[in-house]
Amino acid sequence: MSKLSLRQLAASPRLGVASRTLVAVFGGYALAAVTTAALALWLPVERADAVITGTLLSFLIYTVAVLFAFSTRSALRAWVGILAPTLVGAALVWLGGPA
Amino acid sequence: MTLLPLTWTLGYAGLTALALAMKRHHEAVLGAKASEARLRGFRVLGWALLAAMTAGCLAIWPTALALWMALGMVAFAGLPLVFLLPYRPRLAGGLAVGLPVVGLVVGWVLG
Amino acid sequence: MKASLRQSMAWLHTWSGLLLGWLLVAIFITGTSAYFRDEISFWMAPELHHSVASEAAPRLAWEQLNATAPDARDWLIALPHERHPAVELRWRPDTPDAQENRRRRGERAELDATTGELLEPRASRGGGFLYRFHFELYGVPRIWARWLVCVATMFMLVAIVSGVITHKKIFKDFFTVRPGKGQRSWLDAHNATAVLALPFHFMITYSGLLIFMVMLMPWGMNVAYEDGWRGFFNEVFPREEQAANAGAPAPLVDDIQPLVARTEAAFGQPARYIEVEWPNRDNALIRITTAKEAAITDRRRGGNPSLSFEGTSGRLLKTDPGVGADDGFAARTYNLFVNLHLARFADPATRWLFFLFGVVGSAMACTGMLLWVSKRTQQLRGKTPGFNLRLVNGLNMASITGLLAAMAVYFAANRLLPAALETRESWEIRAFLLAWLATLIHALWRPHRRGWLEQLAALAALWLAVPVINLATTDSHLFSAIAWRHGALAAFDLVCLGMAAGAGYAFWRVAGHKPARKPARAARARRAAAGESS
């Protein structure tokens, strides 16, 4: 484990960490939620299986989103990288499934 | 007879063999420099023993649980090994040979 | 770029691990005890210890319920078995209140399985308290506590994955533990417990979230089903509805024994539960379920085979072979994770292995917390630690040795509190909480090596005291438990002794450890100490 303090993290000021935390916690959850909903609607399997598959994946998606939020070069990239797919997922949910 | 003790000891022996396939541990346990061929031999032996351990798990539990418990056996066998290696490397190596025999006997006695 | 990814992951691992680490340590430790919650509950009810499972149990239970609650809404008889050799009776009175709320537990009684005598176990929450604590804490509104625990669990999942990315040479360092080197040694111990049991850590964390998916992630269910999660569960795990109304009075079959024998013969398994809906009415229904352990991909409830009989005549109505492979792939995956978390299927040997998994998990969480302090203490190079470091060290102490000490106090209180005490079960819990608070105050007051030594000494003394108090206050102590060949009771006292020995060993190691001014000397001293010990 390398020596790292808040300040040394990619030279990002505290604000950057706060901003990343914000998008990781809430953005990550939003992404996981809309992905789950979209998979539940769009997966071409039985409804119950689609719902469980989406829900099983949701926590992994959330985890990856959190890791992503803290690994991008800038906080802005984290925001864009999480919110863009969230909007796509939201659109898919809004369309409401294939049928 | 119950296979659990034998299965666990096979896991221990297998992990020990895998440790012996690494230069540093090989020298610490056996006190001799290792040739590449020897290291490879230990690696093959180690995986073979772990395969035997997995087979033991499959004989004890239903398939899904057995595969899961095989992963668990790596933890249960590996933890005593990694904490024994730095203190008593020779003992750790000796146990890899002795324990499976003990496991077999204990399993047979327990029925 | 690669190095910086690892650095940011190391940062994330450190801080996500620290922020809710104390809560996670408590969840892990109490959760580990929950693998044996039935055994703990049984130990905490010594009035039941003399009961021995017998063939007569169904008949005795039948007579008892017919006498006590002939016109209840339903009965549940849990027949005696290895983990609980007394007969447990539950029934829900036919009152509007009980009908309103299906989840209400209703009344409960315990019966000696040989004599049929009503037993009166001391009031205690038993192992259920520790089990509930591990996901609902105590004294906090349930929904808030569950959210808090789930947030901690999510942090854990993040810490696990970021920890794996952080770890540079995950397989090269597989077998490496370097004792007596302060921070390095804690790091090695943390790595060893984390990496070797990584599948377990991931499973227990991920499945912990899945168990609460309705609360945490209902969105898939909400968009796909009109009535949300209810509709989803009705479709995936259908339940038979109970007849809503009582029929006209009509006596149940006199003798339940033949129906039990018939069920056991049908599935080649001992019967476990007898359920009766609307007993002593003309629409009475008897269902007898066997103890066949479900496969781990089966659904959680209702997986066991059962026979259903007409209550008044004993005529066979339905044979349910139990559920098997008819669930979909995703449902089976979900079942797999949830069942692995709960270990419902486990026989005693497997249950011990799961318990050991939990011990390794607790050790991983603890070593992580200790590593955080060790690393920063080492960076001080002999300077006095600041407020933050002392705070973290103190909280570590309270969450590790403090919690374990409080658990010993909980068990001791079970034996020492008078049986007639008003709200006795709450006093057991108060004893637990007060002891924990005391260790917290002590830990914040003395957040250093001497503090650790004092808590370790107290820990060893308390865990040693539990079997001794048991010996003094009951006749089902360690020696008689061994004589009766009662595995669970004997194991409880033996685990207490093991805890005492472990705490004593830790005390001895910490006492013999020289503060790391000169690491080489400390290492030599440690090696010498280790040599003596083995």
Side-chain angles (χ1 to χ4, degrees):
Chain A
M1 220 171 282
S2 47
K3 286 174 211 161
L4 256 178
S5 67
L6 273 168
R7 208 161 304 155
Q8 280 167 301
L9 178 73
S12 58
R14 269 153 204 256
L15 201 63
V17 171
S19 152
R20 283 169 195 268
T21 308
L22 207 63
V23 73
V25 172
F26 297 105
Y29 184 82
L31 176 61
V34 298
T35 316
T36 307
L39 286 172
L41 292 173
W42 285 86
L43 271 187
V45 291
E46 273 193 45
R47 182 165 67 158
D49 275 5
V51 168
I52 291 201
T53 308
T55 313
L56 282 169
L57 286 174
S58 66
F59 299 108
L60 301 179
I61 293 167
Y62 196 179
T63 308
V64 171
V66 172
L67 299 185
F68 171 79
F70 285 95
S71 64
T72 51
R73 234 174 303 159
S74 69
L76 183 66
R77 279 166 191 264
W79 278 90
V80 174
I82 287 177
L83 287 191
T86 306
L87 289 176
V88 174
L92 283 172
V93 175
W94 184 70
L95 287 174
Chain B
M1 65 172 282
T2 164
L3 281 171
L4 194 56
L6 178 65
T7 305
W8 176 73
T9 51
L10 283 177
Y12 180 89
L15 286 174
T16 312
L18 285 182
L20 289 177
M22 291 170 153
K23 267 203 186 112
R24 180 169 26 154
H25 301 295
H26 190 101
E27 282 162 28
V29 174
L30 299 177
K33 281 246 179 286
S35 67
E36 272 304 316
R38 258 195 173 196
L39 291 182
R40 204 171 315 124
F42 272 115
R43 195 166 303 129
V44 173
L45 177 65
W47 285 111
L49 286 167
L50 289 185
M53 180 269 283
T54 310
C57 289
L58 284 166
I60 299 174
W61 291 291
T63 313
L65 181 59
L67 295 176
W68 172 253
M69 293 310 285
L71 288 174
M73 283 294 157
V74 172
F76 298 137
L79 281 170
L81 175 64
V82 299
F83 285 98
L84 203 56
L85 269 178
Y87 291 102
R88 305 289 295 270
R90 292 186 155 270
L91 176 66
L95 283 178
V97 181
L99 277 181
V101 180
V102 176
L104 197 63
V105 174
V106 169
W108 183 72
V109 169
L110 289 179
Chain C
M1 191 64 212
K2 219 177 177 186
S4 91
L5 172 71
R6 195 150 62 215
Q7 281 180 343
S8 55
M9 289 299 110
W11 179 88
L12 188 60
H13 180 79
T14 305
W15 294 100
S16 62
L18 179 76
L19 198 56
L20 288 164
W22 300 292
L23 184 57
L24 284 169
V25 167
I27 294 169
F28 258 104
I29 291 177
T30 51
T32 301
S33 84
Y35 282 125
F36 285 119
R37 95 177 134 124
D38 288 359
E39 285 77 4
I40 293 174
S41 295
F42 184 66
W43 186 91
M44 292 178 83
E47 292 79 6
L48 307 182
H49 291 180
H50 285 281
S51 176
V52 179
S54 87
E55 294 285 308
R59 183 176 52 79
L60 296 169
W62 204 247
E63 285 166 7
Q64 184 64 46
L65 278 170
N66 265 318
T68 335
D71 51 1
R73 184 180 171 81
D74 49 29
W75 294 348
L76 173 68
I77 302 168
L79 293 170
H81 57 103
E82 224 171 63
R83 295 181 75 189
H84 191 93
V87 193
E88 193 184 328
L89 310 178
R90 287 175 189 274
W91 66 93
R92 289 189 304 159
D94 186 21
T95 58
D97 177 44
Q99 288 193 33
E100 281 282 296
N101 193 347
R102 283 203 67 172
R103 289 167 63 102
R104 221 183 86 89
R105 275 200 166 166
E107 308 291 326
R108 216 189 119 183
E110 297 274 357
L111 217 58
D112 187 296
T114 322
T115 63
E117 182 194 350
L118 263 183
L119 300 172
E120 282 176 16
R122 57 192 67 190
S124 168
R125 294 279 303 277
F129 166 65
L130 298 171
Y131 161 73
R132 293 228 153 241
F133 188 92
H134 108 275
F135 62 94
E136 308 189 319
L137 312 177
Y138 185 78
V140 189
R142 181 176 280 184
I143 187 76
W144 288 104
R146 287 184 173 195
W147 270 102
L148 181 62
V149 168
C150 285
V151 168
T153 313
M154 196 59 221
F155 269 64
M156 173 86 187
L157 196 56
V158 168
I160 288 176
V161 180
S162 57
V164 170
I165 299 173
T166 305
H167 201 322
K168 287 172 219 159
K169 299 170 278 185
I170 203 159
F171 292 108
K172 214 169 159 208
D173 282 350
F174 208 76
F175 298 109
T176 308
V177 170
R178 284 153 291 192
K181 290 195 178 151
Q183 181 207 331
R184 272 242 69 97
S185 307
W186 285 117
L187 176 60
D188 288 339
H190 184 55
N191 284 344
T193 47
V195 172
L196 280 166
L198 191 62
F200 168 77
H201 303 318
F202 177 78
M203 176 282 286
I204 206 76
T205 311
Y206 180 59
S207 57
L209 293 167
L210 286 180
I211 287 172
F212 290 112
M213 67 180 190
V214 169
M215 180 182 90
L216 299 172
M217 200 55 73
W219 311 114
M221 298 168 228
N222 284 354
V223 296
Y225 290 84
E226 301 256 300
D227 45 353
W229 62 269
R230 280 175 220 278
F232 170 76
F233 276 97
N234 285 338
E235 183 175 314
V236 180
F237 304 113
R239 291 177 87 138
E240 281 171 48
E241 274 306 306
Q242 187 175 348
N245 292 310
L252 281 170
V253 287
D254 285 340
D255 192 359
I256 187 70
Q257 217 82 14
L259 303 187
V260 172
R262 189 164 169 193
T263 312
E264 292 183 337
F267 302 111
Q269 294 281 345
R272 174 60 62 81
Y273 295 109
I274 305 171
E275 290 163 273
V276 184
E277 283 172 18
W278 297 118
N280 295 308
R281 267 65 146 231
D282 62 3
N283 61 342
L285 184 77
I286 302 174
R287 182 161 66 230
I288 305 180
T289 313
T290 71
K292 177 181 169 285
E293 301 297 348
I296 50 169
T297 48
D298 286 348
R299 68 187 59 174
R300 255 200 287 165
R301 291 190 187 82
N304 292 347
S306 67
L307 292 187
S308 300
F309 303 94
E310 195 174 64
T312 47
S313 65
R315 187 166 58 88
L316 179 67
L317 292 178
K318 195 175 144 209
T319 304
D320 182 353
V323 275
D326 56 338
D327 288 342
F329 169 76
R332 290 174 73 81
T333 311
Y334 169 79
N335 290 341
L336 174 72
F337 275 103
V338 170
N339 284 335
L340 282 178
H341 193 108
L342 300 171
R344 283 246 170 91
F345 53 85
D347 58 276
T350 312
R351 190 166 291 280
W352 274 106
L353 293 177
F354 272 79
F355 177 78
L356 285 179
F357 270 140
V359 171
V360 177
S362 310
M364 178 213 44
C366 294
T367 50
M369 304 303 289
L370 295 172
L371 169 62
W372 196 94
V373 169
S374 171
K375 181 174 174 179
R376 278 152 194 82
T377 309
Q378 209 140 324
Q379 283 167 355
L380 292 171
R381 293 176 205 293
K383 277 182 281 176
T384 322
F387 173 76
N388 290 342
L389 191 53
R390 278 184 316 195
L391 179 69
V392 172
N393 199 4
L395 290 174
N396 280 353
M397 208 190 294
S399 70
I400 301 170
T401 50
L403 171 59
L404 290 171
M407 284 169 73
V409 169
Y410 179 61
F411 297 138
N414 174 266
R415 290 295 190 263
L416 294 176
L417 291 175
L421 190 65
E422 196 80 10
T423 62
R424 189 182 176 287
E425 66 274 32
S426 304
W427 279 107
E428 285 183 7
I429 293 170
R430 273 172 216 150
F432 169 88
L433 295 172
L434 285 173
W436 202 359
L437 181 65
T439 64
L440 174 67
I441 293 169
H442 172 265
L444 294 176
W445 174 43
R446 296 171 76 79
H448 42 57
R449 188 162 149 270
R450 289 216 58 87
W452 277 102
L453 282 173
E454 286 153 10
Q455 293 225 352
L456 284 169
L459 193 57
L462 284 168
W463 279 98
L464 185 62
V466 174
V468 173
I469 292 171
N470 191 27
L471 184 68
T473 54
T474 68
D475 56 358
S476 50
H477 46 76
L478 180 56
F479 300 114
S480 47
I482 290 174
W484 301 341
R485 297 182 160 239
H486 199 305
L489 286 180
F492 188 102
D493 281 18
L494 288 173
V495 168
C496 290
L497 293 175
M499 290 291 299
Y505 177 72
F507 175 85
W508 179 63
R509 286 297 298 267
V510 177
H513 177 70
K514 302 273 176 298
R517 279 280 169 74
K518 284 183 183 163
R521 209 175 61 194
R524 226 179 301 132
R526 269 205 167 187
R527 227 170 286 141
E532 281 161 32
S533 74
S534 45

